[in-house]
Amino acid sequence: MTTQHLIEPGQVVHQAAAILASLEYIDQGAAQRLGPLAEAVANAFMVVYYQAETDRATRNDFCEALEAIRRSLP
């Protein structure tokens, strides 16, 4: 039997924000390597923001945003 790990979205966002806040600098090479993933994450956050503001983001919007993140992962 597999174990399903449910992670509360707020925990994930807060943890990512704390890690990013601890960085002093990202050089151009690292930024270029992270670019596609950063764009996919930014787009996912836009879906979350749109949902918070309008309540009009669909499940499909979330699924597409998460799939783009998965495709951008190394």
Side-chain angles (χ1 to χ4, degrees), residues 20-70:
L20 285 170
S22 71
L23 299 176
E24 290 184 28
Y25 181 73
I26 298 175
D27 63 46
Q28 185 179 15
Q32 287 174 337
R33 288 187 300 277
L34 289 171
L37 181 57
E39 182 179 8
V41 170
N43 289 336
F45 277 123
M46 289 305 299
V47 171
V48 171
Y49 182 78
Y50 182 71
Q51 177 66 353
E53 292 295 312
T54 69
D55 193 31
R56 292 184 180 171
T58 66
R59 181 174 295 275
N60 189 56
D61 294 331
F62 284 101
C63 290
E64 287 178 6
L66 295 178
E67 183 56 33
I69 290 173
R70 289 182 189 106

Side-chain angles (χ1 to χ4, degrees), residues 7-18 45 48:
I7 299 173
E8 200 270 318
Q11 289 177 311
V12 173
V13 172
H14 282 96
Q15 184 177 13
F45 277 123
V48 171

